């Protein structure tokens, strides 16, 4: 079983409009609602790939009930969310059908009490035995300590569970020092962590800070990985037009599946890159176009070098 952690779960709402214009009223052509948050999107992709996956994190209020109802409808996904007194947040994505661009509005999430945080930590530790890999994903809701992910990484490592960390800012800075097996920052998050805007230099620096491997998501330029085993660059065959929301989460799903299956790095990166690209062509985050994914698997270019033993 694979475990994904989304401390700041959400109800993702996607609006599609013909053309998004500031200071104007818009007629919405389509509305989609579904459980969200980075780890939930990762779990949905993993379940679609045939993996058994459990989702944990926080949920509460009327929005939280809608999230749990949505999770129950997804085959292969187990709900292990921990209740809180506050209400689960909503995120709103507005897709401009003319340009394909997406505007995102993210609420902060409920305030988590110390008692609720302690309850989650116990639930998380109880879930870890028998887990093949765990992903810690997304922002922290108010009330959760900024070093939360560092503690969760250490707990997983103490039980010999490999862990992938996908967050940003100070939670990422502290989490890296706890030595996760993989971190997956995007270009902006990597620059914020290291102070460098050169992807290779920044990725190498991030690994020196404690991560076993760093996989940088560079948008249309694919993935750059610096690991103990070597260094690789994975490129999609072409830039695909669509909604990029959730592409990074799909890449995490590919990396996490490869971690759980002990696949070689070039295979992990091929899967992750193909999944990310196939997500861009899907209408909402957490989905991917299977036909595009399978077609891209044979067209992703992975180049690099293996480290000397």
């Amino acid at each position: 079983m694979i475990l994904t952690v989304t401390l700041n779960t959400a109800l993702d709402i996607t609006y599609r409009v013909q053309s998004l214009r500031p200071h104007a009223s818009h007629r919405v052509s389509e509305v989609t609602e579904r459980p969200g948050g980075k780890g939930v999107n990762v779990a949905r992709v993993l379940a679609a790939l045939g993996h058994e996956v459990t989702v944990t994190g926080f949920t509460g209020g009327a929005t939280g009930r809608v999230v749990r109802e949505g999770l129950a409808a997804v085959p292969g996904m187990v709900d292990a969310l921990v209740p809180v007194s506050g209400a689960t947040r909503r995120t709103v994505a507005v897709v401009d059908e003319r340009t394909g661009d997406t505007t995102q509005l993210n609420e902060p999430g409920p305030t988590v009490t110390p008692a609720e945080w302690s309850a989650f930590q116990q639930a998380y530790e109880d879930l870890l035995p028998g887990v093949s890999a765990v992903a810690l994903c997304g922002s922290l809701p108010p009330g959760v300590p900024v070093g939360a992910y560092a503690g969760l990484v250490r707990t997983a490592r103490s039980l010999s569970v490999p862990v992938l960390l996908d967050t940003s800012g100070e939670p990422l800075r502290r989490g890296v020092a706890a030595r996760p097996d993989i971190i997956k920052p995007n270009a902006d998050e990597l620059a914020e962590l290291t102070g460098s805007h050169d992807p290779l230099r920044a990725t190498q620096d991030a690994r020196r800070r404690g991560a076993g491997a760093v996989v940088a998501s560079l948008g249309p330029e694919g993935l750059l990985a610096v690991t103990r085993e070597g260094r690789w660059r994975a490129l999609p065959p072409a830039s695909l037009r669509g909604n990029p929301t959730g592409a990074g989460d799909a890449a995490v799903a590919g990396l996490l599946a490869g971690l759980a299956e002990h696949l070689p790095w070039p295979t992990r990166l091929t899967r992750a890159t193909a999944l990310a690209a196939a997500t861009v062509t899907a209408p909402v985050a957490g989905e991917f176009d299977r036909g595009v994914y399978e077609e891209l698997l044979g067209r992703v270019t992975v180049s690099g070098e293996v480290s000397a033993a």
Side-chain angles (χ1 to χ4, degrees):
M1 178 187 74
I2 295 175
L3 177 66
T4 71
V5 175
T6 313
L7 295 177
N8 213 1
T9 54
L11 179 65
D12 285 346
I13 304 167
T14 302
Y15 294 136
R16 302 186 73 88
V17 299
Q18 185 176 11
S19 178
L20 182 61
R21 304 179 308 281
H23 316 298
S25 297
H26 297 79
R27 187 175 297 278
V28 176
S29 61
E30 182 182 349
V31 181
T32 305
E33 288 188 354
R34 63 189 305 138
K38 292 179 72 64
V40 173
N41 292 336
V42 171
R44 188 181 290 109
V45 173
L46 287 167
L49 292 171
H51 290 274
E52 294 183 3
V53 58
T54 295
V55 174
T56 191
F58 294 114
T59 186
T63 308
R65 287 193 293 274
V66 176
V67 167
R68 301 193 90 150
E69 290 169 0
L71 291 177
V74 180
M77 197 143 60
V78 175
D79 173 1
L81 293 169
V82 175
V84 293
S85 57
T88 295
R89 66 185 178 132
R90 297 160 297 182
T91 68
V92 178
V94 183
V95 180
D96 185 321
E97 295 178 334
R98 178 178 58 86
T99 64
D101 293 336
T102 300
T103 299
Q104 192 84 15
L105 303 173
N106 297 326
E107 295 179 358
T111 298
V112 176
T113 68
E116 290 166 343
W117 173 235
S118 294
F120 170 80
Q121 290 175 287
Q122 185 60 59
Y124 171 74
E125 188 168 350
D126 292 343
L127 285 167
L128 285 174
V131 166
S132 57
V134 58
L136 309 174
C137 302
S139 62
L140 300 178
V144 173
V146 70
Y149 282 135
L152 298 180
V153 169
R154 293 187 186 100
T155 300
R157 288 181 56 83
S158 72
L159 296 171
S160 300
V161 176
V163 56
L164 184 155
L165 177 62
D166 183 18
T167 188
S168 60
E170 189 63 20
L172 174 59
R173 189 180 308 278
R174 298 196 187 193
V176 168
R179 308 185 69 82
D181 293 84
I182 303 173
I183 63 169
K184 194 219 68 66
N186 62 31
D188 291 339
E189 293 162 350
L190 188 61
E192 182 183 10
L193 175 66
T194 66
S196 173
H197 291 274
D198 176 79
L200 178 57
R201 179 179 299 173
T203 304
Q204 292 171 327
D205 182 21
R207 184 166 179 267
R208 284 192 293 269
R209 292 168 184 256
V214 180
V215 181
S217 177
L218 305 177
E221 297 180 15
L223 300 175
L224 173 63
V226 175
T227 79
R228 295 184 185 94
E229 293 83 1
R231 184 176 73 198
W232 290 274
R233 185 71 173 269
L235 292 170
S239 178
L240 300 177
R241 182 180 176 183
N243 180 5
T245 306
D249 302 334
V252 168
L255 295 171
L256 194 63
L259 182 63
E261 297 172 33
H262 307 287
L263 296 176
W265 272 104
T267 304
R268 299 186 200 185
L269 295 169
T270 297
R271 285 189 182 183
T273 303
L275 280 169
T279 299
V280 171
T281 65
V284 291
E287 288 189 354
F288 65 95
D289 187 311
R290 185 172 292 275
V292 172
Y293 168 63
E294 293 176 352
E295 190 264 338
L296 287 176
L297 280 173
R299 299 177 59 203
V300 171
T301 301
V302 179
S303 59
E305 56 188 22
V306 177
S307 297

